[in-house]
Amino acid sequence: MSVSIDIAGLRPERVAVVPSPLAELGMALHALSEPGHHPRLQGWATGVTARLDPHLADRMCEADFLWRTTFSDIFLPYAGLPGSAVLPGATLAEDLDLLDKLTDEQFVDAALEFITCSLDYDTRTPDLLADSSLRPRALEAAAYRGPQQVRFTQRLFDDPPGVRAWVRRFLEDCDEAFFGEAWARLTHQLAADARHKTELLRHKGLAEALAAVSPVVTLDEPAGRIVVDKLLEGRTSLRDGGLLLVPTSFGWPHLSVLHRPGWQPVLHYPVGSPDPAVPPSVEQLTLRLTALSHPVRMRICRFLARSTYTTSELAQAQGMTAPEISRHLAVLKKAGLVTTRRRGRYVLHQLDVAVVARLGSDFLEGVLR
């Protein structure tokens, strides 16, 4: 399984390596929502959470599916704008101005791409604003996340400009509360990494630069494509001949590939090296590797590493029946890899990231990539 980017006709000068404050803020919000994904940031996340204004914390919960379940493309708006020369802004305000330039249709589709998880990301789907038949599906999926998410999704359908203004104000308040200080600290590291990758591109070529991004990103020169080893299938091609590489410090171990149809491809890659893994016991290793030996269960783990899911939601996403998913979940639960809790009439499953971390960083990085 992999995500591939067709780079036929790519010229070296059309590859840009640029940090993005908006993308980094999105990853910071994800780290605050899912600290288990980012053990190195737990001290930072604890400190920010402790001093966070309660009103801002409540607002953070309203739309957390934009960054908690996975990483919404609204944090990379420049990729959706016409023209291959559109790059991230030097400041958060500049990036937010680019976000304002997306159409309402682009904003809603990107915001709800993972709420409507049964839609195919790789193909052009009907416009969610224009096709009212898709709204019940989106609202039902939002209900799995909670009543706040349902209200936010309904507001997004009813008043896209109002929600967009709300999102901008929220992100500006996050910048004032905690992100501005973090960005001032991280921007030099990200800029240095961007300069290094740019020098590799200039002097050693694309293959060397991609290898420096991550060992799971490779250049298949005969086929004219970039291949990213991930636990999903996806493909895209260059739009207007450009490719964008965006480094992130908050984002490790997530290696994201924006491959939305009609948008510029983006590799959003982590800088820095991971912490060493704690070796599991032989008994744990045997039991858990047996549970993970099935490719369907690995794909289920990828979903459950990002958020809680119901059995029916997993069945819809995997194209399987609920009983089939239940059997796979039972194996994962027996191995102690998945936890279950009830929220109202929904039974929610989630990967125990701490247990997986003890199993080994290679698998954890794979399902979080």
Side-chain angles (χ1 to χ4, degrees), residues 299-319:
R299 291 198 298 271
I300 289 173
C301 285
R302 184 178 186 275
F303 276 82
L304 299 183
R306 285 159 169 74
S307 184
T308 55
Y309 283 84
T310 66
T311 301
S312 61
E313 191 176 18
L314 286 170
Q316 187 180 43
Q318 297 293 327

Side-chain angles (χ1 to χ4, degrees), residues 5 25 48 79 86 174 269 328 343:
I5 304 172
L25 174 52
V48 169
V86 181
C174 288
Y269 67 93
H328 286 297
R343 176 183 287 174

Side-chain angles (χ1 to χ4, degrees), residues 13-319:
E13 65 271 17
R14 304 301 288 275
V15 183
V17 191
V18 187
S20 165
L22 179 57
E24 197 67 1
L25 174 52
M27 280 302 183
L29 288 166
H30 173 73
L32 291 172
S33 299
E34 291 288 356
H37 290 189
H38 307 272
R40 293 183 298 172
L41 297 175
Q42 286 186 354
W44 173 83
T46 300
V48 169
T49 302
R51 66 176 187 268
L52 203 61
D53 175 77
H55 179 58
L56 182 59
D58 288 342
R59 292 159 65 200
M60 194 176 293
C61 294
E62 288 188 49
D64 67 353
F65 56 77
L66 294 175
W67 53 80
R68 183 168 196 155
T69 304
T70 189
F71 189 69
S72 171
D73 292 343
I74 70 167
F75 291 101
L76 303 166
Y78 24 83
L81 297 176
S84 60
V86 181
L87 298 176
T91 66
L92 181 63
E94 291 177 7
D95 264 356
L96 292 175
D97 288 342
L98 295 175
L99 178 61
D100 288 342
K101 292 181 180 180
L102 292 180
T103 66
D104 285 347
E105 292 77 12
Q106 285 180 303
F107 185 91
V108 172
D109 287 347
L112 297 182
E113 66 193 46
F114 300 109
I115 286 293
T116 54
C117 61
S118 61
L119 300 177
D120 189 351
Y121 178 91
D122 288 314
T123 60
R124 291 186 182 276
T125 57
D127 182 353
L128 287 170
L129 286 180
D131 189 347
S132 59
S133 67
L134 296 175
R135 297 189 182 188
R137 188 191 310 179
L139 291 169
E140 181 180 1
Y144 296 144
R145 304 290 180 255
Q148 285 183 313
Q149 286 72 19
V150 175
R151 289 192 293 269
F152 187 89
T153 303
Q154 187 63 63
R155 286 168 50 207
L156 193 53
F157 284 136
D158 294 341
D159 183 20
V163 173
R164 296 180 66 169
W166 182 95
V167 168
R168 175 159 186 152
R169 286 194 302 270
F170 167 74
L171 295 175
E172 289 170 340
D173 289 345
C174 288
D175 185 48
E176 183 178 351
F178 63 86
F179 181 70
E181 178 184 354
W183 178 251
R185 172 171 49 86
L186 295 173
T187 185
H188 302 293
Q189 176 197 22
L190 297 177
D193 183 86
R195 287 194 298 271
H196 172 63
K197 300 295 190 299
T198 301
E199 287 299 306
L200 285 175
L201 276 168
R202 183 177 303 157
H203 299 294
K204 296 190 175 182
L206 183 59
E208 288 287 337
L210 294 176
V213 163
S214 171
V216 305
V217 182
T218 56
L219 175 62
D220 185 347
E221 290 192 77
R225 62 178 183 171
I226 295 169
V227 180
V228 185
D229 182 28
K230 291 174 71 71
L231 279 171
L232 77 159
E233 292 286 348
R235 58 184 53 85
T236 189
S237 58
L238 302 179
R239 193 201 70 176
D240 299 328
L243 175 68
L244 186 60
L245 279 61
V246 177
T248 170
S249 179
F250 277 117
W252 185 89
H254 304 297
L255 172 62
S256 304
V257 185
L258 191 159
H259 52 103
R260 175 177 293 277
W263 288 44
Q264 181 182 5
V266 179
L267 284 174
H268 191 206
Y269 67 93
V271 300
S273 57
D275 293 328
V278 179
S281 67
V282 173
E283 182 180 359
Q284 286 176 326
L285 187 63
T286 301
L287 179 62
R288 290 167 181 169
L289 288 182
T290 300
L292 295 170
S293 62
H294 198 288
V296 171
R297 291 197 283 272
M298 288 188 68
R299 291 198 298 271
I300 289 173
C301 285
R302 184 178 186 275
F303 276 82
L304 299 183
R306 285 159 169 74
S307 184
T308 55
Y309 283 84
T310 66
T311 301
S312 61
E313 191 176 18
L314 286 170
Q316 187 180 43
Q318 297 293 327

